[in-house]
Structures are given as C-alpha cells and as structure tokens.
C-alpha cells in the first residue's frame, strides 16, 4: 500500500500568498474599496508573516491579500485551503473561471 501524501507539506505559505497575489491582481495591486492603483505596502500580518498588508493612497483604506475574498477571516492556514481546493479539482493555475470564482468578493453573494 502506498504511503499517504501530506499535501499541506508540499505547499508553503509563502507560495500560497504569492499565488493569491498573482491571480487576484495580475496587473498590480488595487484597492478593493475604491479600485485605486496607488498602493503602498503597510507591513505584514503578525500571525501570518507572508500575508502582506497594504494602504490605499486615494481612500486611505487598509487591506491585505485576502480582504474581500471568500478566504478572509478564515482561521485555517492558506496552504490548507489551497490543498483542499486542489483536491476538489478546481485546478488553481487555470484562469478559465475557477480562480475568478475563488477570489470573487464576498459582497457579490458568493
């Protein structure tokens, strides 16, 4: 019998957050509140050091990599969610809708 694969050990948090940034903002970070493009980095999350914080120069809102997504406010590490999504067959690297569905903002009712 083959050994079980521990998927969370295959993906680290840094790679998961980089994946989020690449798919959520392919042309650069934008403010989820006003869609402004003048964004500055504003430190990191204490509990998740790879989770980047940002501040919008236009509306002064603070947000991070997961703000406004279905994964915001979840207590499990991002690598666990990415592993689960891969197991569910959502094929995260595919940009034909699955990633857009994952990062769709909460206010859209998803």
């Amino acid at each position: 019998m083959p050994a079980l694969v521990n998927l969370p050990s295959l993906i680290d948090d840094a790679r998961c957050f980089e994946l989020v940034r690449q798919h959520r903002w392919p042309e650069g970070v934008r403010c989820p509140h006003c869609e402004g493009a003048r964004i500055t980095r504003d430190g990191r999350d204490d509990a998740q050091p790879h989770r980047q914080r940002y501040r919008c120069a236009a509306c002064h809102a603070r947000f991070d990599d997961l703000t406004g997504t279905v994964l915001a406010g979840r207590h499990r590490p991002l690598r666990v969610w990415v592993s689960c999504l891969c197991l569910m067959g959502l094929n995260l690297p595919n940009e034909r809708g699955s990633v857009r569905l994952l990062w769709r903002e909460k206010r859209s009712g998803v």
Side-chain angles (χ1 to χ4, degrees):
M1 179 180 259
L4 294 176
V5 176
N6 184 359
L7 285 177
S9 70
L10 298 176
I11 302 173
D12 65 13
D13 288 328
R15 288 180 59 202
C16 289
F17 279 105
E18 186 58 37
L19 179 70
V20 168
R21 287 183 208 105
Q22 288 173 358
H23 287 282
R24 185 172 185 193
W25 299 302
E27 295 166 15
V29 179
R30 301 199 61 99
C31 177
H33 305 286
C34 73
E35 295 295 319
R38 291 187 2 210
I39 305 298
T40 57
R41 291 182 179 182
D42 195 26
R44 302 247 179 207
D45 186 84
D46 294 333
Q48 298 173 324
H50 301 289
R51 188 173 183 169
Q52 180 68 56
R53 290 184 181 155
Y54 306 96
R55 184 176 300 274
C56 176
C59 71
H60 305 291
R62 289 186 69 196
F63 60 98
D64 63 35
D65 294 324
L66 302 179
T67 299
T69 70
V70 296
L71 298 176
R74 303 293 184 239
H75 298 289
R76 298 261 186 248
L78 186 60
R79 69 181 180 275
V80 172
W81 290 107
V82 170
S83 298
C84 290
L85 291 168
C86 288
L87 284 173
M88 291 171 51
L90 290 181
N91 191 12
L92 283 177
N94 183 352
E95 292 188 35
R96 293 158 59 131
S98 60
V99 172
R100 286 188 205 97
L101 175 67
L102 175 64
W103 307 126
R104 188 176 294 163
E105 294 186 14
K106 286 184 202 177
R107 66 176 175 245
S108 65
V110 174

